[in-house]
Amino acid sequence: MTAIDPRQESTVAPAATRPAAAGPAAVDVSRLRRRFAPLDGLRAVGALMVVVTHVSAHTATSVTEPFGGLLARFDAGVALFFVISGFLLYRPYVAARLTGAPAPDVRGYLWRRALRILPVLWIAVAGVWLLFDHGTPASQYLRHALLVHIYWPSNWVLGLTQMWSLAVEAAFYVALPLLAWLLVCSARDPLTFIRRSLAVLGLLVLLSPVWVYVATALEHPTAPQWLPAYLGWFAIGMALVTWQQARGLGLLRASRIDDLARHPGTLWLIALAILVIVATPIAGSRGLAPAVAGEAAFKNLAYAVFAALLVLPCIAALRDGDDARVARALGGRVGRWLGDISYGIFAYHLLILELIGPVAGHENFTGGFWRLLVPTLLVTVPVAAISYRFLERPIMDWGRRVYSRR
């Protein structure tokens, strides 16, 4: 997503037809879309991509097979997660600014985010500690449980290596209210807010690869894992929801973005082509070789474009239920269910993979991709479903009741 261009005036509705900025009475709030069911299916896609890329690494398929380069780049599922998070979590701030409604309650927002991620995280950390501890200092597990481990060198723990991305996500949760406040308060009227927000968010998309380049060139041990390296991915989601909500209220006219969004098959084929390009040496090593600054920066930006192309057709419809047919399939019953349990799939799959390996007679880096992937999924999906049904959803329901009483 690029910064708004000087021709944006041509996509802004005339004053006679756009909602006035005087207050909420001038805005038809019912025109705002509130449910984006296809994103549930995309969350599941992102989680399954992460599982696949970890299995390919454990079996060395990513470096030994002709298609291994593509599997190695399935870590782009993390970019998909971050774009969706930026979209959904920033939406209430955009809706409030464009309609004149009260801003979201920050304390309630942080309370819900903590209840959503921490219980499952703590179970995964405790499980790894009990089952795989080989003299790892307790402080390492504590840092993982608090999602601050990415700020210490040598922060990898067997069965928890995927949690770096959750630590980045948690940092975004904390930063979002301040970033939203800066964007919202810096504009006098909705149209200025839209233009300025898209410009700032577009700049963040470009600055993230710069951070990655500099941090990698300086060989900093942890800076490539910090939030600024991935803030551009979240910013794409924030820019998309700013555009989508403004279109829903008639503040922006239909543009080429709408035309592109009506062809999800084409966009997703382009996204796949980008992933194929990134699978070549232009984006760096498939394995554990140290990253080169230019290659790491290119991969960061390419993943951002990849995720944007996947998400755009799933959010472009202005009303609930008007998604393209293929996007609606992602938001069907199976897609919604997999989206609900996707966090559990992400959190538990490495723990389960490490348990299944010895049972399946697998030795790391010796092949056997399908022999390891299939049983890992067959165990991880039911475990994630049980976790969601009996742990995650009850805790979230309890948290809403407690906070509403307060």
Side-chain angles (χ1 to χ4, degrees):
M1 179 66 65
T2 57
I4 192 167
D5 65 53
R7 297 173 297 172
Q8 186 62 52
E9 290 290 344
S10 64
T11 64
V12 177
T17 61
R18 65 177 183 247
V27 176
D28 182 7
V29 181
S30 65
R31 295 171 63 184
L32 281 182
R33 180 179 177 184
R34 291 174 172 79
R35 177 66 173 158
F36 298 87
L39 296 185
D40 292 333
L42 274 188
R43 277 203 301 267
V45 170
L48 294 174
M49 288 178 68
V50 170
V51 175
V52 167
T53 200
H54 283 143
V55 172
S56 70
H58 274 68
T59 58
T61 304
S62 56
V63 295
T64 60
E65 298 295 336
F67 58 88
L70 188 60
L71 298 182
R73 303 311 187 206
F74 271 32
D75 60 346
V78 176
L80 193 54
F81 273 130
F82 287 178
V83 170
I84 292 172
S85 289
F87 183 94
L88 293 176
L89 296 180
Y90 188 51
R91 193 198 72 82
Y93 293 95
V94 176
R97 180 63 184 87
L98 296 182
T99 64
D105 175 25
V106 174
R107 288 179 298 177
Y109 153 78
L110 292 175
W111 170 253
R112 291 189 298 272
R113 289 295 89 203
L115 291 180
R116 182 67 187 101
I117 67 172
L118 291 180
V120 169
L121 167 68
W122 291 342
I123 288 176
V125 171
V128 169
W129 193 354
L130 292 173
L131 295 171
F132 302 126
D133 181 50
H134 300 293
T136 302
S139 59
Q140 278 279 50
Y141 294 103
L142 179 60
R143 291 167 187 167
H144 277 76
L146 298 176
L147 293 175
V148 296
H149 60 284
I150 60 173
Y151 308 109
W152 274 265
S154 303
N155 54 37
W156 302 111
V157 173
L158 181 71
L160 296 174
T161 54
Q162 83 278 32
M163 294 302 179
W164 72 267
S165 60
L166 189 60
V168 175
E169 180 105 5
F172 174 71
Y173 293 165
V174 175
L176 177 61
L178 175 60
L179 180 57
W181 180 81
L182 291 172
L183 291 172
V184 168
C185 293
S186 65
R188 298 182 306 274
D189 59 86
L191 291 180
T192 302
F193 163 71
I194 294 167
R195 295 190 184 98
R196 191 167 296 171
S197 293
L198 292 178
V200 171
L201 294 170
L203 181 62
L204 291 178
V205 174
L206 298 177
L207 287 179
S208 279
V210 174
W211 176 283
V212 171
Y213 183 93
V214 173
T216 304
L218 294 176
E219 298 183 356
H220 194 283
T222 58
Q225 299 173 9
W226 296 351
L227 175 61
Y230 306 99
L231 191 55
W233 297 356
F234 293 106
I236 285 178
M238 297 169 69
L240 285 174
V241 78
T242 302
W243 169 81
Q244 198 281 334
Q245 298 284 277
R247 282 284 295 114
L249 290 174
L251 287 165
L252 296 178
R253 281 180 175 172
S255 65
R256 290 183 180 179
I257 298 177
D258 299 80
D259 296 334
L260 289 172
R262 295 190 188 100
H263 300 87
T266 301
L267 294 183
W268 292 346
L269 283 175
I270 296 173
L272 179 60
I274 290 174
L275 212 58
V276 171
I277 293 172
V278 180
T280 68
I282 193 173
S285 169
R286 306 179 190 177
L288 301 177
V292 177
E295 296 168 350
F298 173 78
K299 184 168 72 170
N300 182 282
L301 185 58
Y303 280 8
V305 177
F306 165 81
L309 291 172
L310 289 184
V311 171
L312 176 60
C314 297
I315 58 90
L318 302 184
R319 292 183 297 274
D320 292 320
D322 284 351
D323 300 286
R325 182 179 302 175
V326 288
R328 285 200 301 271
L330 287 170
R333 181 177 300 179
V334 174
R336 291 198 307 271
W337 178 73
L338 287 173
D340 287 339
I341 69 172
S342 60
Y343 176 47
I345 293 174
F346 164 84
Y348 300 131
H349 77 276
L350 274 181
L351 168 62
I352 292 170
L353 187 154
E354 296 292 348
L355 288 173
I356 284 178
V359 175
H362 174 265
E363 295 184 11
N364 283 342
F365 314 120
T366 60
F369 174 78
W370 293 107
R371 189 172 71 244
L372 190 59
L373 176 65
V374 172
T376 297
L377 287 176
L378 288 177
V379 176
T380 300
V381 171
V383 168
I386 292 170
S387 173
Y388 181 78
R389 174 65 179 83
F390 296 103
L391 175 70
E392 299 165 51
R393 193 169 68 185
I395 287 177
M396 289 187 289
D397 291 342
W398 169 81
R400 280 191 289 267
R401 291 195 300 270
V402 169
Y403 198 82
S404 64
R405 287 199 296 268
R406 292 180 55 192

